[in-house]
Amino acid sequence: MNVISRKIKSLQCTECGSEYELGPIYGGCTNCRSQGKSGALEVHYDLDAVKLSRDWLDGGVRSIWEYRQLLPVEDPNCFLSLGEGNTPLTNDSYYDQQYGMPHVYLKNEGFNPTWSHKDRLNVVLVSKTKELKGTGIATSSTGNQGISAAAYAAAAGLPSYVFYPPETASIYHRLTGMYGGKAVVTPWESRGKLLRKLVEDHGFTPSYPLVDGELSNPYGIEGYKTVAYELVRQLGGVPDYILAPVSEGNALTGMWKGFNELLQLGLTDKLPRLYGCQAAGADALVQSLHQGDEKVKVLDEAYSLATSTRERTAGVHVLRSIRASGGGAFAVSDRQIQDTMIALGKRGYCVESASAIPVACLEQLFQEGKVRPEDKIVCLITSAGLKWPDLIAELAPPPLRIEGNWESFSRETGL
Ligand SMILES: [Zn+2]
């Protein structure tokens, strides 16, 4: 570790460049809003004043706070941790055998404390809320985001409310309760309005965008930068391709910011190509990228068995990040998602349906013909499959039920 200084300049509007002091500002840029537009805020560092050497990315990292020089929480007494981050990156040799691609890796975020990548967002967001002396955490969620927010709120001693749609598996409601939060099941479209009311009238910190298509809480998204830092450490350099499932798109946006900051600091020498991966029934980003749109369109309706990515639109920032990276976007059918979940299971991975999407998209990436055998390709596995027991029960065979003797076992197994 060789740190001389860190400088956080401000919250800066991604549209008009207006700057704001760091504080509990969650409704975006007031300057843009006064002109009837919307502008998201992001944490802006004075990178010229940040002096980090390459060994900052080396060695054994035990906590994401070892990356605190580029995270927006300043008081170490407010650093929360439930053991998030430092997740495994494993090589999937199937792609070497089938396609001659020996460097395909799975970054398995299912190893986080609440079994998803959302813990990176919430550990930073709730720590910052503690530093700003906020009163509680509120979020809209399809599942992962909700239990993660509730767990970190609990770690901070804060109350939490989570608005879930009816389709979310009931285990999420109960887990929210286990973490001391309040799960509220309500129709899809009413979640945003309720969240806004709780934030604006009761001082809660939102852990989800208050406006569709905008960035999440500007502090939370910084947590996703740590995926970029870990990948550079684990691979010994920047991967060539990253494929990730996209709902609102915050994870890819945050990772892109992380890779760009590393490049500007001179700690790396290139950027990865990003690919957004969606279900065919909820593919607003894919359509907008292919059609050259300036913003992500809003679908009339969205459906997929991959509930975690079932959103009608996505943020403009993920569209811009992917475009700037020279990457792209792919969509796959629910059938392909199911088949990939089953195939991954047979290789030792039980992943959430949304996490199977980037793996299901690999074949399309190979068919583009740009990828070279020496390229390093990372699929972001965002969450564990165990959270959706009803879907697992549909995909996996039931147990053998036998009498308590060898003959019965032999009859069923043929042994
Ligand atoms: Zn603005």
Side-chain angles (χ1 to χ4, degrees), residues 144-221:
N144 292 322
Q145 166 66 8
I147 60 169
S148 177
Y152 284 92
L158 293 171
S160 62
Y161 287 90
V162 183
F163 299 108
Y164 290 113
E167 289 84 349
T168 294
S170 61
I171 186 70
Y172 283 103
H173 310 151
R174 300 298 179 169
L175 281 169
T176 303
M178 282 295 290
Y179 294 130
K182 183 64 82 179
V184 183
V185 180
T186 185
W188 278 84
E189 302 305 330
S190 61
R191 294 176 305 154
K193 281 179 282 187
L194 292 164
L195 174 63
R196 181 174 278 278
K197 181 92 175 155
L198 203 47
V199 171
E200 291 179 350
D201 293 357
H202 296 274
F204 274 62
T205 300
S207 175
Y208 192 82
L210 290 179
V211 179
D212 274 352
E214 285 206 357
L215 286 176
S216 270
N217 179 305
Y219 305 112
I221 203 163

Side-chain angles (χ1 to χ4, degrees), residues 1-15:
M1 201 69 69
N2 180 13
V3 181
I4 296 173
S5 68
R6 175 195 62 167
K7 297 288 181 193
I8 301 173
K9 284 180 82 171
S10 60
L11 288 175
Q12 189 173 50
C13 176
T14 59
E15 307 305 310

